[in-house]
Amino acid sequence: MRTSFTSRFLTAAQQRQEVIRAPVFHSFIGALFSSVSLRGLSMRAPGCVALLVWLLNDAAARQFTEEEMSGIRQRIKSMFYHAYNSYLDNAFPYDELRPLTCDGQDTWGSFSLTLIDALDTLLVLGNRTEFERVASLLQDTVDFDIDVNASVFETNIRVVGGLLSAHLLAGRAGMELESGWPCSGPLLRMAEDAARKLLPAFQTPTGMPYGTVNLLHGVSPTETPVTCTAGVGTFILEFATLSRLTGDATFENVARRALRALWKTRSDIGLVGNHIDIVSKKWVAQDAGIGAGVDSYFEYLVKGAIMLQDEELLNMFLEYDRAIQNYTRFDDWYLWVHMHKGTVSMPVFQSLEAFWPGLQSLLGNLDSAVRTFQNYYSVWRQFGGLPEFYSIPQGYTVDKREGYPLRPELIESAMYLFRATGDHTYLQLGLDALESIERIAKTPCGYASVKDLRDHQLDNRMESFFLAETIKYLYLLFDPTHFLHGGGTEGDGSWEEGGEGGQCVLGAGGFIFNTEAHPLDPAALYCCSRHTQDRRELRDILINLSQHDRQSKQPTKETEGPAPESIALKPGEKKTPPLLSCPVQPFSARLSILGQVFSDNT
Ligand code: DMJ
């Protein structure tokens, strides 16, 4: 049975005795929330919601000219270089810059994390020479054979993801490429190296990974089996990319096994909680929502479905989405509910949830995405940033969660929604974000996380996602013809040739951003797995031919043993289509593969 959260919420609010300083419309909504149930509100308040949406749209009606957008792009570049140069001057080779003390610290490992995370942003901003310099610097300096306990999740999304996208963009950067690229290359080998260090975490009875692994010694015997949902379900993009580029299926297999195991743990009403014991499969934190601890799990089901054209992943997401819409969504906000009962446990919006409108726009749910974005944008306008937690009924920040560590999510959604609608409201959010960050967070050597959006106190930290994501999405928002927006028909250089014999047409199917904004190219995955498959088929054809040749010279074939496994078809088994039946590659490309392989093998 659905229940109102009002009475529970009021008790919590009374206990907290917070001073409410929300602007008028938030107080208005807060008053409504405190006197009616959310179910009631969703039926009774369309007028005020429409008024709010109208007010926000009206405020954002400004149109940006191309000249203004170009000027804003320059400002974003200056922001990037202020942060990036400060990191290089004061913090490299540490993981992160400390922008208040102008020095560095290791945080998620000890692998110059900010430089790895920022590498592809250099190319996004058009700086090929620095991209090339840093790509080779990282090859010379970064070593994953280190006695460090690292987060499996963070290492995957930032390090493996960052190296994979840099590898895939190396052609556009004009770097010298080895002949097998994009199916081989030094940055790909680094990514594979880092990912192999994570594999021991997946050796569990369920296939769901531990949260932390020692890069040298594997999982500690004392490691906790409790990890967050996103820590189990955020691997398929990077691991499938690795598998399909290198031909080693191990990575994709472990990521899929973890996803399938997690899927089986959903509650009877179709929701997952926040933290799970990966050995016993028991849910330790049973709050279901779309934010912290869960967010990128849903993101990877959708993006994995798109990148891999995978219906299993899409169906998983669609089933979750039905439960999410049914139990957690109220007036286009998303709350936290108990995963078994569906009752509201936390009526808060978390800044990490702001990726959701972008994800919805990828699925084509534009109306709902636009409305949710407007809700979140209203919070941004209230504070000049998104607080980590925002109490929806109170219309204000939540105690000890008032910070804004320069996260990207709302800007990310703005980028997708601008791409989908062309509405300049989203550019206005981008400009607001640029100006807020410049005004609140800039220090003489970088940009600092905002500790408290109420008084603009700062923290001595600049997370690597500021350069990897926040600035990248901001720039891409103001550069609608950038090649990363893909499509294959618009903009200059939206696709390129690559691979042995130039048979890969890259970038033509658009790019999929991993959860750290590292773009991955589905065309490269397709091309390299075709390449592996073609090689296998050709090997089989050659074996078959030579076998046939020998057989025809020796008529006593009854005396021979059975045909080798690779040639013999088992009962009911179908032979994969021969190489020359491939409908996708142009005929000339197919011939060039044949030529390549025959000459290699003779
Ligand atoms: C990033 O590391 C990723 O976007 C992750 O999915 C969530 N947290 C940060 C950015 O806020």
Side-chain angles (χ1 to χ4, degrees):
M1 193 182 74
R2 308 298 310 282
T3 60
S4 152
F5 67 79
T6 313
S7 52
R8 205 175 329 159
F9 168 73
L10 282 176
T11 317
Q14 280 154 0
Q15 282 166 356
R16 196 159 42 243
Q17 292 181 332
E18 263 181 4
V19 181
I20 300 182
R21 291 188 286 157
V24 178
F25 61 80
H26 281 96
S27 308
F28 177 53
I29 284 193
L32 276 171
F33 273 51
S34 62
S35 60
V36 296
S37 77
L38 280 169
R39 260 287 168 245
L41 177 67
S42 62
M43 287 181 291
R44 287 161 47 188
C48 67
V49 172
L51 174 70
L52 181 63
V53 169
W54 178 81
L55 282 171
L56 289 169
N57 279 338
D58 189 53
R62 168 181 172 190
Q63 296 295 299
F64 290 74
T65 63
E66 174 42 43
E67 206 184 339
E68 282 172 309
M69 286 170 70
S70 159
I72 293 169
R73 288 199 295 273
Q74 290 314 313
R75 290 177 63 189
I76 298 166
K77 281 188 179 178
S78 306
M79 174 185 265
F80 175 84
Y81 285 112
H82 177 62
Y84 177 79
N85 292 332
S86 297
Y87 167 77
L88 282 185
D89 293 346
N90 302 291
F92 178 78
Y94 288 106
D95 281 340
E96 284 177 19
L97 169 75
R98 299 204 307 165
L100 301 183
T101 45
C102 291
D103 54 9
Q105 63 177 341
D106 280 335
T107 49
W108 294 109
S110 184
F111 22 56
S112 307
L113 182 66
T114 296
L115 202 55
I116 296 180
D117 230 3
L119 177 55
D120 59 12
T121 310
L122 285 165
L123 189 72
V124 171
L125 303 185
N127 193 340
R128 292 169 165 216
T129 45
E130 182 63 0
F131 177 91
E132 189 165 356
R133 186 188 78 82
V134 172
S136 66
L137 176 70
L138 290 172
Q139 289 168 51
D140 293 343
T141 56
V142 174
D143 180 8
F144 298 115
D145 268 327
I146 44 175
D147 187 3
V148 160
N149 293 328
S151 155
V152 181
F153 169 86
E154 301 290 353
T155 309
N156 177 51
I157 66 167
R158 303 191 197 211
V159 176
V160 179
L163 292 168
L164 281 175
S165 83
H167 161 74
L168 290 169
L169 295 174
R172 283 174 193 273
M175 280 174 67
E176 206 174 306
L177 303 170
E178 52 182 62
S179 66
W181 185 89
C183 317
S184 72
L187 293 168
L188 177 60
R189 284 189 285 279
M190 275 183 86
E192 188 180 345
D193 213 23
R196 280 202 190 283
K197 298 288 184 181
L198 308 181
L199 288 180
F202 290 81
Q203 285 164 7
T204 64
T206 60
M208 293 192 274
Y210 282 99
T212 304
V213 68
N214 183 288
L215 297 183
L216 200 58
H217 305 299
V219 178
S220 155
T222 60
E223 183 57 37
T224 172
V226 176
T227 188
C228 67
T229 312
V232 176
T234 310
F235 293 92
I236 191 69
L237 289 182
E238 297 81 4
F239 278 27
T241 299
L242 269 176
S243 284
R244 297 196 183 196
L245 295 183
T246 64
D248 180 347
T250 312
F251 300 101
E252 183 167 346
N253 289 346
V254 298
R256 280 189 189 276
R257 185 168 172 238
L259 280 176
R260 288 180 182 140
L262 190 54
W263 172 242
K264 288 195 192 132
T265 65
R266 69 195 183 283
S267 69
D268 290 345
I269 60 170
L271 294 170
V272 283
N274 205 277
H275 276 72
I276 190 166
D277 182 321
I278 53 108
V279 175
S280 70
K281 298 186 264 185
K282 290 225 161 58
W283 283 100
V284 176
Q286 304 192 344
D287 301 284
I290 59 167
V294 190
D295 46 7
S296 49
Y297 170 39
F298 296 136
E299 179 185 355
Y300 272 38
L301 291 178
V302 174
K303 291 182 175 176
I306 298 171
M307 186 173 85
L308 306 170
Q309 297 289 290
D310 189 311
E311 277 191 46
E312 182 188 8
L313 301 182
L314 184 62
N315 288 335
M316 284 179 187
F317 177 80
L318 292 176
E319 199 170 318
Y320 280 131
D321 195 37
R322 271 190 288 277
I324 289 167
Q325 301 301 331
N326 197 19
Y327 290 99
T328 77
R329 175 175 159 196
F330 295 92
D331 276 347
D332 301 300
W333 295 95
Y334 291 83
L335 312 182
W336 290 83
V337 304
H338 191 282
M339 66 177 279
H340 295 292
K341 299 181 224 156
T343 48
V344 175
S345 58
M346 262 195 307
V348 296
F349 155 59
Q350 301 178 346
S351 91
L352 284 167
E353 294 167 13
F355 79 103
W356 188 258
L359 195 70
Q360 290 210 305
S361 86
L362 276 180
L363 287 156
N365 301 332
L366 264 187
D367 289 349
S368 160
V370 165
R371 289 193 302 268
T372 299
F373 184 92
Q374 291 291 3
N375 283 346
Y376 297 171
Y377 189 12
S378 74
V379 180
W380 180 287
R381 289 151 73 101
Q382 186 179 347
F383 296 100
L386 284 188
E388 289 288 63
F389 283 35
Y390 176 82
S391 163
I392 299 165
Q394 285 187 315
Y396 207 62
T397 56
V398 171
D399 197 24
K400 300 198 172 59
R401 293 284 184 280
E402 301 92 351
Y404 170 56
L406 310 181
R407 289 193 191 281
E409 284 77 8
L410 193 62
I411 302 166
E412 171 186 354
S413 280
M415 183 199 78
Y416 284 113
L417 283 168
F418 181 60
R419 201 153 93 177
T421 66
D423 183 340
H424 284 212
T425 304
Y426 304 108
L427 299 181
Q428 184 61 54
L429 173 275
L431 184 56
D432 289 354
L434 178 66
E435 284 175 347
S436 279
I437 294 171
E438 285 290 353
R439 203 174 52 243
I440 302 173
K442 190 169 186 179
T443 72
C445 61
Y447 291 85
S449 296
V450 182
K451 189 179 191 174
D452 192 328
L453 276 169
R454 296 168 306 174
D455 58 11
H456 299 169
Q457 272 184 72
L458 299 177
D459 251 339
N460 195 12
R461 189 151 185 209
M462 186 178 84
E463 281 257 20
S464 67
F465 57 67
F466 178 59
L467 294 180
E469 287 196 83
T470 311
I471 293 185
K472 187 187 288 148
Y473 283 132
L474 204 46
Y475 189 83
L476 290 173
L477 170 63
F478 285 96
D479 191 358
T481 59
H482 197 283
F483 74 84
L484 282 179
H485 291 304
T489 51
E490 349 161 326
D492 279 344
S494 54
W495 60 273
E496 59 172 345
E497 287 185 350
E500 285 181 37
Q503 76 269 31
C504 292
V505 177
L506 299 171
F511 291 81
I512 299 291
F513 291 92
N514 87 338
T515 191
E516 190 77 359
H518 295 304
L520 303 171
D521 181 355
L525 273 63
Y526 177 78
C527 188
C528 292
S529 36
R530 277 291 326 163
H531 188 62
T532 311
Q533 200 183 324
D534 287 345
R535 279 186 178 280
R536 285 194 189 124
E537 284 169 4
L538 279 161
R539 186 201 56 201
D540 287 355
I541 290 168
L542 288 173
I543 294 171
N544 209 348
L545 281 174
S546 70
Q547 203 70 31
H548 182 77
D549 198 35
R550 252 182 283 145
Q551 283 168 1
S552 61
K553 283 178 191 152
Q554 299 171 5
T556 54
K557 74 175 174 200
E558 313 76 76
T559 57
E560 284 179 15
E565 274 267 90
S566 60
I567 296 175
L569 290 181
K570 298 192 187 78
E573 192 185 356
K574 283 195 193 135
K575 187 99 179 86
T576 46
L579 179 76
L580 294 180
S581 73
C582 171
V584 180
Q585 286 176 312
F587 192 67
S588 58
R590 280 181 256 147
L591 281 182
S592 84
I593 299 173
L594 279 167
Q596 188 96 39
V597 174
F598 280 123
S599 60
D600 279 358
N601 288 325
T602 49

